[in-house]
Protein backbone atom coordinates (compact mmCIF):
# COMPACT_ATOMS: atom_id res chain seq x y z
CA UNK A 1 0.00 0.00 0.00
CA UNK A 2 1.27 3.48 -0.86
CA UNK A 3 1.67 6.46 1.44
CA UNK A 4 -1.16 8.27 -0.36
CA UNK A 5 -3.49 5.27 -0.05
CA UNK A 6 -2.78 4.96 3.67
CA UNK A 7 -3.54 8.65 4.25
CA UNK A 8 -6.74 8.38 2.25
CA UNK A 9 -7.95 5.72 4.69
CA UNK A 10 -6.71 7.61 7.76
CA UNK A 11 -8.58 10.76 6.78
CA UNK A 12 -11.77 8.69 6.46
CA UNK A 13 -11.05 7.30 9.96
CA UNK A 14 -10.87 3.85 8.43
CA UNK A 15 -8.21 2.59 10.84
CA UNK A 16 -6.50 -0.79 10.49
CA UNK A 17 -5.66 -2.85 13.60
CA UNK A 18 -1.95 -2.92 12.67
CA UNK A 19 0.36 -0.49 10.89
CA UNK A 20 3.81 -1.95 10.37
CA UNK A 21 5.85 0.95 8.98
CA UNK A 22 9.34 -0.03 7.82
CA UNK A 23 12.11 1.20 5.53
CA UNK A 24 14.93 3.65 4.97
CA UNK A 25 12.96 6.91 4.70
CA UNK A 26 11.85 7.94 8.18
CA UNK A 27 9.84 10.94 6.94
CA UNK A 28 6.85 8.91 5.74
CA UNK A 29 6.92 6.67 8.82
CA UNK A 30 6.84 9.72 11.10
CA UNK A 31 4.07 11.41 9.12
CA UNK A 32 1.76 8.39 9.30
CA UNK A 33 2.51 7.79 12.97
CA UNK A 34 2.02 11.44 13.97
CA UNK A 35 -1.28 11.61 12.09
CA UNK A 36 -2.61 8.56 13.93
CA UNK A 37 -1.46 9.95 17.29
CA UNK A 38 -3.14 13.30 16.57
CA UNK A 39 -6.36 12.08 14.94
CA UNK A 40 -7.26 8.52 15.90
CA UNK A 41 -8.61 9.48 19.32
CA UNK A 42 -10.34 12.59 20.64
CA UNK A 43 -8.02 14.51 22.93
CA UNK A 44 -9.98 13.64 26.10
CA UNK A 45 -9.53 9.88 25.45
CA UNK A 46 -5.76 9.92 25.00
CA UNK A 47 -4.66 9.86 28.64
CA UNK A 48 -6.08 6.38 29.21
CA UNK A 49 -6.09 4.96 25.68
CA UNK A 50 -2.87 6.06 24.04
CA UNK A 51 0.42 4.34 24.85
CA UNK A 52 3.84 5.03 23.34
CA UNK A 53 6.56 2.41 23.80
CA UNK A 54 10.22 2.51 22.71
CA UNK A 55 12.11 -0.43 21.25
CA UNK A 56 15.10 -0.07 23.57
CA UNK A 57 12.90 -0.09 26.67
CA UNK A 58 10.26 -2.69 25.83
CA UNK A 59 9.84 -6.28 24.70
CA UNK A 60 7.43 -8.48 22.76
CA UNK A 61 5.52 -9.52 25.90
CA UNK A 62 4.87 -5.92 26.92
CA UNK A 63 3.71 -4.97 23.42
CA UNK A 64 1.30 -7.91 23.20
CA UNK A 65 -0.09 -7.32 26.71
CA UNK A 66 -0.61 -3.62 25.98
CA UNK A 67 -2.18 -4.28 22.58
CA UNK A 68 -4.59 -6.87 24.02
CA UNK A 69 -6.01 -4.46 26.61
CA UNK A 70 -9.48 -3.15 25.95
CA UNK A 71 -9.96 0.63 25.71
CA UNK A 72 -11.34 2.49 28.72
CA UNK A 73 -14.65 4.22 28.01
CA UNK A 74 -13.75 4.52 24.32
CA UNK A 75 -14.06 2.58 21.08
CA UNK A 76 -10.34 2.41 20.33
CA UNK A 77 -6.94 2.52 21.94
CA UNK A 78 -3.69 3.46 20.18
CA UNK A 79 -0.40 1.69 20.89
CA UNK A 80 2.69 3.10 19.17
CA UNK A 81 6.02 1.28 19.23
CA UNK A 82 8.80 3.66 18.21
CA UNK A 83 12.32 2.43 17.30
CA UNK A 84 11.00 -1.12 16.93
CA UNK A 85 14.09 -1.96 14.85
CA UNK A 86 15.88 -2.29 18.20
CA UNK A 87 13.64 -5.18 19.29
CA UNK A 88 15.20 -8.57 18.72
CA UNK A 89 13.03 -11.26 17.14
CA UNK A 90 10.25 -8.89 16.12
CA UNK A 91 8.60 -11.84 14.37
CA UNK A 92 7.67 -13.17 17.81
CA UNK A 93 4.73 -10.77 17.51
CA UNK A 94 3.32 -13.36 15.13
CA UNK A 95 0.71 -14.70 17.60
CA UNK A 96 -0.79 -11.22 17.99
CA UNK A 97 -0.51 -10.32 14.32
CA UNK A 98 -2.47 -13.41 13.32
CA UNK A 99 -5.35 -12.40 15.57
CA UNK A 100 -5.16 -8.66 16.37
CA UNK A 101 -7.65 -6.97 18.68
CA UNK A 102 -9.93 -4.87 16.51
CA UNK A 103 -10.31 -2.18 19.17
CA UNK A 104 -6.51 -1.57 19.15
CA UNK A 105 -4.58 0.45 16.57
CA UNK A 106 -1.04 -0.91 16.86
CA UNK A 107 1.56 1.22 15.08
CA UNK A 108 5.06 -0.21 14.75
CA UNK A 109 7.94 2.04 13.59
CA UNK A 110 10.63 -0.21 12.13
CA UNK A 111 13.02 2.37 10.69
CA UNK A 112 16.07 2.08 8.42
CA UNK A 113 15.50 -1.62 7.69
CA UNK A 114 12.79 -3.87 6.27
CA UNK A 115 11.29 -7.26 6.99
CA UNK A 116 11.98 -10.20 4.71
CA UNK A 117 8.84 -10.29 2.57
CA UNK A 118 9.19 -14.02 2.05
CA UNK A 119 8.67 -14.80 5.74
CA UNK A 120 5.33 -15.86 7.17
CA UNK A 121 5.35 -13.03 9.73
CA UNK A 122 5.55 -10.39 6.99
CA UNK A 123 2.71 -12.03 5.08
CA UNK A 124 0.59 -12.18 8.24
CA UNK A 125 1.12 -8.44 8.83
CA UNK A 126 0.08 -7.66 5.26
CA UNK A 127 -2.97 -9.91 5.53
CA UNK A 128 -4.29 -8.62 8.87
CA UNK A 129 -3.11 -5.02 8.83
CA UNK A 130 -1.14 -2.56 6.75
CA UNK A 131 2.46 -3.23 5.78
CA UNK A 132 4.18 -0.13 4.43
CA UNK A 133 7.73 0.08 3.12
CA UNK A 134 9.06 3.63 3.19
CA UNK A 135 11.67 3.70 0.44
CA UNK A 136 14.45 6.26 0.24
CA UNK A 137 13.86 9.12 -2.19
CA UNK A 138 17.06 9.61 -4.15
CA UNK A 139 18.30 13.08 -5.08
CA UNK A 140 17.42 12.75 -8.77
CA UNK A 141 13.81 12.00 -7.73
CA UNK A 142 13.48 14.97 -5.38
CA UNK A 143 12.37 17.64 -7.92
CA UNK A 144 9.44 15.46 -9.05
CA UNK A 145 8.60 14.67 -5.42
CA UNK A 146 8.56 18.40 -4.66
CA UNK A 147 6.09 18.98 -7.49
CA UNK A 148 3.87 16.14 -6.29
CA UNK A 149 3.86 17.35 -2.69
CA UNK A 150 3.03 20.92 -3.76
CA UNK A 151 0.28 19.57 -6.01
CA UNK A 152 -1.37 18.00 -2.96
CA UNK A 153 -1.47 21.53 -1.52
CA UNK A 154 -3.04 22.81 -4.76
CA UNK A 155 0.16 24.52 -5.92
CA UNK A 156 2.41 24.08 -8.94
CA UNK A 157 6.21 24.30 -8.88
CA UNK A 158 8.05 25.16 -12.08
CA UNK A 159 11.00 22.97 -13.09
CA UNK A 160 13.74 25.39 -12.14
CA UNK A 161 12.15 26.17 -8.78
CA UNK A 162 11.91 22.45 -7.96
CA UNK A 163 15.57 21.99 -8.87
CA UNK A 164 16.62 24.96 -6.71
CA UNK A 165 14.84 23.56 -3.66
CA UNK A 166 16.31 20.10 -4.27
CA UNK A 167 19.82 21.52 -4.66
CA UNK A 168 19.58 23.69 -1.54
CA UNK A 169 17.82 21.21 0.76
CA UNK A 170 19.06 17.88 -0.59
CA UNK A 171 16.84 14.89 0.17
CA UNK A 172 15.79 16.03 3.65
CA UNK A 173 12.04 15.70 3.13
CA UNK A 174 11.26 17.38 6.43
CA UNK A 175 13.08 20.56 5.44
CA UNK A 176 11.59 20.41 1.94
CA UNK A 177 7.99 20.14 3.18
CA UNK A 178 8.56 22.97 5.66
CA UNK A 179 9.93 25.15 2.83
CA UNK A 180 7.01 24.34 0.52
CA UNK A 181 4.46 25.03 3.24
CA UNK A 182 6.18 28.33 4.04
CA UNK A 183 6.00 29.27 0.36
CA UNK A 184 2.30 28.41 0.09
CA UNK A 185 1.57 30.63 3.10
CA UNK A 186 3.54 33.58 1.71
CA UNK A 187 2.45 33.38 -1.93
CA UNK A 188 -1.01 34.92 -2.17
CA UNK A 189 -1.29 36.12 -5.76
CA UNK A 190 -0.56 32.90 -7.64
CA UNK A 191 -0.81 29.11 -7.44
CA UNK A 192 2.64 28.59 -9.00
CA UNK A 193 5.91 28.62 -7.05
CA UNK A 194 8.70 30.25 -9.05
CA UNK A 195 12.45 30.81 -8.52
CA UNK A 196 11.67 34.42 -7.62
CA UNK A 197 9.34 33.21 -4.85
CA UNK A 198 12.08 30.94 -3.52
CA UNK A 199 14.63 33.76 -3.56
CA UNK A 200 12.27 36.09 -1.72
CA UNK A 201 10.99 33.64 0.90
CA UNK A 202 13.69 30.99 1.31
CA UNK A 203 16.80 33.03 0.52
CA UNK A 204 18.15 30.99 -2.41
CA UNK A 205 19.42 33.22 -5.22
CA UNK A 206 17.60 32.49 -8.46
CA UNK A 207 20.57 33.70 -10.51
CA UNK A 208 23.62 32.59 -8.52
CA UNK A 209 23.36 28.92 -7.64
CA UNK A 210 24.81 25.59 -8.69
CA UNK A 211 22.00 24.98 -11.17
CA UNK A 212 22.85 28.20 -13.03
CA UNK A 213 26.58 27.43 -12.83
CA UNK A 214 25.96 24.01 -14.33
CA UNK A 215 23.94 25.59 -17.15
CA UNK A 216 26.58 28.26 -17.80
CA UNK A 217 29.30 25.60 -18.04
CA UNK A 218 27.16 23.44 -20.31
CA UNK A 219 26.67 26.38 -22.65
CA UNK A 220 30.29 27.52 -22.21
CA UNK A 221 28.98 30.91 -21.14
CA UNK A 222 32.25 32.21 -19.68
CA UNK A 223 30.84 35.55 -18.50
CA UNK A 224 27.92 34.00 -16.62
CA UNK A 225 30.10 31.25 -15.10
CA UNK A 226 32.57 33.84 -13.80
CA UNK A 227 29.80 36.00 -12.34
CA UNK A 228 28.48 33.00 -10.42
CA UNK A 229 31.84 31.82 -9.08
CA UNK A 230 32.71 35.36 -8.00
CA UNK A 231 29.43 35.44 -6.09
CA UNK A 232 30.20 32.02 -4.57
CA UNK A 233 33.67 33.25 -3.54
CA UNK A 234 32.16 36.05 -1.49
CA UNK A 235 29.56 33.73 0.04
CA UNK A 236 31.61 30.60 0.77
CA UNK A 237 29.56 29.64 3.83
CA UNK A 238 26.35 29.40 1.79
CA UNK A 239 28.08 27.81 -1.21
CA UNK A 240 30.55 25.20 0.07
CA UNK A 241 33.00 24.06 -2.58
CA UNK A 242 32.56 20.40 -1.73
CA UNK A 243 28.85 20.61 -2.63
CA UNK A 244 29.51 22.44 -5.90
CA UNK A 245 32.14 19.87 -6.91
CA UNK A 246 29.82 16.95 -6.09
CA UNK A 247 27.03 18.41 -8.21
CA UNK A 248 29.36 19.19 -11.11
CA UNK A 249 30.82 15.68 -10.93
CA UNK A 250 27.31 14.25 -11.23
CA UNK A 251 26.47 16.64 -14.09
CA UNK A 252 29.55 15.99 -16.24
CA UNK A 253 29.33 12.24 -15.60
CA UNK A 254 25.81 12.34 -17.03
CA UNK A 255 26.95 14.39 -20.03
CA UNK A 256 29.59 11.73 -20.70
CA UNK A 257 26.98 9.00 -20.36
CA UNK A 258 24.72 10.88 -22.80
CA UNK A 259 27.43 10.54 -25.46
CA UNK A 260 27.17 6.77 -25.45
CA UNK A 261 23.40 6.37 -25.35
CA UNK A 262 22.12 4.50 -28.37
CA UNK A 263 18.74 6.20 -28.45
CA UNK A 264 19.06 9.96 -28.12
CA UNK A 265 15.86 10.84 -30.00
CA UNK A 266 13.43 9.77 -27.29
CA UNK A 267 13.61 12.29 -24.45
CA UNK A 268 11.86 9.97 -22.00
CA UNK A 269 14.41 7.21 -22.65
CA UNK A 270 17.29 9.68 -22.25
CA UNK A 271 15.79 11.11 -19.05
CA UNK A 272 15.32 7.63 -17.62
CA UNK A 273 18.88 6.58 -18.51
CA UNK A 274 20.40 9.73 -16.99
CA UNK A 275 17.92 9.87 -14.11
CA UNK A 276 16.92 13.44 -14.85
CA UNK A 277 13.69 15.29 -15.58
CA UNK A 278 12.86 15.19 -19.33
CA UNK A 279 12.70 19.00 -19.21
CA UNK A 280 16.50 19.12 -18.81
CA UNK A 281 17.44 16.72 -21.62
CA UNK A 282 18.02 19.61 -24.01
CA UNK A 283 20.67 21.02 -21.66
CA UNK A 284 22.65 17.78 -21.71
CA UNK A 285 22.34 17.62 -25.47
CA UNK A 286 23.84 21.12 -25.76
CA UNK A 287 26.64 20.31 -23.30
CA UNK A 288 27.57 17.21 -25.31
CA UNK A 289 28.20 19.48 -28.31
CA UNK A 290 30.54 21.69 -26.28
CA UNK A 291 32.57 18.94 -24.60
CA UNK A 292 33.91 15.84 -26.33
CA UNK A 293 34.42 12.57 -24.40
CA UNK A 294 38.14 13.18 -23.94
CA UNK A 295 37.50 16.59 -22.37
CA UNK A 296 34.72 15.18 -20.19
CA UNK A 297 36.99 12.47 -18.80
CA UNK A 298 39.58 15.15 -18.09
CA UNK A 299 36.98 17.30 -16.29
CA UNK A 300 35.85 14.38 -14.12
CA UNK A 301 39.49 13.74 -13.15
CA UNK A 302 39.91 17.44 -12.33
CA UNK A 303 36.82 17.40 -10.14
CA UNK A 304 38.22 14.47 -8.16
CA UNK A 305 41.53 16.29 -7.75
CA UNK A 306 39.88 19.51 -6.55
CA UNK A 307 37.56 17.59 -4.26
CA UNK A 308 40.63 16.23 -2.46
CA UNK A 309 42.30 19.64 -2.44
CA UNK A 310 39.16 21.25 -1.00
CA UNK A 311 39.41 18.76 1.87
CA UNK A 312 43.08 19.59 2.53
CA UNK A 313 44.76 16.73 0.67
CA UNK A 314 47.74 17.86 -1.42
CA UNK A 315 47.01 21.54 -0.92
CA UNK A 316 48.88 24.08 1.19
CA UNK A 317 45.75 26.00 2.18
CA UNK A 318 44.45 27.69 -0.98
CA UNK A 319 41.19 29.50 -0.27
CA UNK A 320 38.04 27.69 -1.36
CA UNK A 321 37.06 30.57 -3.63
CA UNK A 322 40.44 30.52 -5.37
CA UNK A 323 40.24 26.75 -5.83
CA UNK A 324 36.84 27.17 -7.45
CA UNK A 325 38.14 29.84 -9.83
CA UNK A 326 41.06 27.61 -10.83
CA UNK A 327 38.75 24.68 -11.43
CA UNK A 328 36.23 26.58 -13.54
CA UNK A 329 38.99 28.13 -15.63
CA UNK A 330 40.37 24.67 -16.41
CA UNK A 331 36.92 23.31 -17.27
CA UNK A 332 36.22 26.14 -19.71
CA UNK A 333 39.62 26.10 -21.40
Amino acid sequence: MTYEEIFKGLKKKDFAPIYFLMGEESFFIDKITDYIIDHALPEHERDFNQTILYGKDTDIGTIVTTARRFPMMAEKQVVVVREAQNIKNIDQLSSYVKNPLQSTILVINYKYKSLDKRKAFTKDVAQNGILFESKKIYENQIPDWIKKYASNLKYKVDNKAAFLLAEFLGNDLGKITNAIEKLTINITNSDTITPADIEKNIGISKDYNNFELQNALGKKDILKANQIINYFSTNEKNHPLVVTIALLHSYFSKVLKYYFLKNKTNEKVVASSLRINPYFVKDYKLASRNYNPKKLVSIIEMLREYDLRSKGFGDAGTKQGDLLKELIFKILH
Side-chain angles (χ1 to χ4, degrees):
M1 186 172 282
T2 67
Y3 174 75
E4 289 79 13
E5 289 169 339
I6 291 172
F7 254 90
K8 190 175 181 180
L10 293 177
K11 288 178 179 178
K12 291 180 179 178
K13 291 196 173 294
D14 182 14
F15 296 107
I18 301 168
Y19 291 86
F20 199 105
L21 313 174
M22 63 184 187
E24 292 182 56
E25 181 51 72
S26 62
F27 173 83
F28 299 111
I29 294 173
D30 290 338
K31 278 287 185 181
I32 294 169
T33 302
D34 291 344
Y35 188 91
I36 292 172
I37 288 172
D38 293 339
H39 296 88
L41 301 176
E43 191 170 351
H44 68 275
E45 293 181 1
R46 294 175 195 166
D47 286 345
F48 295 106
N49 295 296
Q50 186 164 278
T51 305
I52 298 179
L53 304 171
Y54 290 85
K56 289 182 179 179
D57 304 318
T58 193
D59 54 38
I60 299 297
T62 302
I63 295 170
V64 172
T65 300
T66 307
R68 288 211 180 279
R69 282 190 326 214
F70 288 98
M72 292 182 64
M73 297 176 289
E75 291 184 7
K76 298 278 187 183
Q77 72 155 337
V78 173
V79 179
V80 176
V81 184
R82 296 192 185 274
E83 302 171 5
Q85 69 274 10
N86 293 314
I87 300 173
K88 292 181 179 179
N89 302 318
I90 191 74
D91 56 358
Q92 288 180 8
L93 271 174
S94 183
S95 61
Y96 180 82
V97 166
K98 286 178 180 178
N99 186 28
L101 198 65
Q102 295 302 309
S103 58
T104 294
I105 303 169
L106 175 60
V107 184
I108 300 174
N109 288 183
Y110 196 75
K111 292 182 178 180
Y112 316 120
K113 57 201 302 188
S114 294
L115 297 174
D116 186 338
K117 294 178 183 177
R118 298 168 297 179
K119 289 190 174 182
F121 174 69
T122 311
K123 293 175 182 177
D124 289 339
V125 172
Q127 183 176 342
N128 297 311
I130 288 177
L131 178 68
F132 171 66
E133 184 171 15
S134 185
K135 295 182 178 179
K136 195 73 176 174
I137 304 293
Y138 295 102
E139 289 190 3
N140 64 293
Q141 300 171 314
I142 293 295
D144 285 337
W145 190 87
I146 288 170
K147 289 182 180 181
K148 188 175 181 180
Y149 187 86
S151 177
N152 292 333
L153 300 176
K154 310 300 182 188
Y155 276 79
K156 299 174 185 175
V157 182
D158 77 18
N159 287 304
K160 183 178 174 182
F163 190 94
L164 286 179
L165 283 174
E167 177 205 326
F168 190 71
L169 300 173
N171 59 356
D172 187 326
L173 300 186
K175 288 182 178 179
I176 289 171
T177 55
N178 287 339
I180 294 172
E181 287 164 11
K182 179 180 178 180
L183 286 162
T184 60
I185 291 169
N186 291 322
I187 298 170
T188 56
N189 59 347
S190 173
D191 64 352
T192 300
I193 297 170
T194 67
D197 295 321
I198 292 173
E199 181 173 50
K200 180 180 178 181
N201 296 287
I202 307 297
I204 310 170
S205 172
K206 65 182 176 63
D207 296 313
Y208 300 102
N209 55 71
N210 283 312
F211 175 71
E212 291 297 338
L213 177 60
Q214 174 181 298
N215 276 348
L217 293 174
K219 296 173 183 176
K220 281 207 166 182
D221 186 337
I222 296 174
L223 176 60
K224 181 66 175 177
N226 281 317
Q227 288 174 335
I228 294 170
I229 62 174
N230 284 332
Y231 178 83
F232 282 11
S233 297
T234 59
N235 295 270
E236 289 183 8
K237 185 177 179 180
N238 293 326
H239 300 281
L241 181 56
V242 65
V243 173
T244 298
I245 288 175
L247 291 169
L248 291 181
H249 185 277
S250 174
Y251 172 68
F252 282 109
S253 296
K254 287 174 182 175
V255 176
L256 180 61
K257 186 175 181 180
Y258 176 86
Y259 250 106
F260 299 101
L261 293 178
K262 291 181 180 179
N263 183 357
K264 294 187 178 71
T265 57
N266 188 321
E267 286 193 353
K268 288 186 177 179
V269 172
V270 173
S272 177
S273 298
L274 300 183
R275 295 187 177 183
I276 60 172
N277 188 299
Y279 176 83
F280 298 114
V281 168
K282 63 182 185 300
D283 297 327
Y284 286 82
K285 184 177 181 180
L286 176 60
S288 71
R289 293 174 183 162
N290 288 325
Y291 300 91
N292 61 41
K294 184 178 179 181
K295 177 64 174 178
L296 288 167
V297 170
S298 174
I299 289 171
I300 292 167
E301 289 175 351
M302 277 184 233
L303 288 164
R304 289 172 181 160
E305 174 196 342
Y306 277 81
D307 180 53
L308 289 172
R309 289 180 63 186
S310 71
K311 296 169 182 174
F313 295 97
D315 191 274
T318 309
K319 290 183 179 179
Q320 300 279 295
D322 292 336
L323 281 175
L324 178 60
K325 290 175 182 178
E326 279 182 29
L327 173 60
I328 299 305
F329 179 83
K330 289 181 180 180
I331 288 173
L332 289 169
H333 295 85

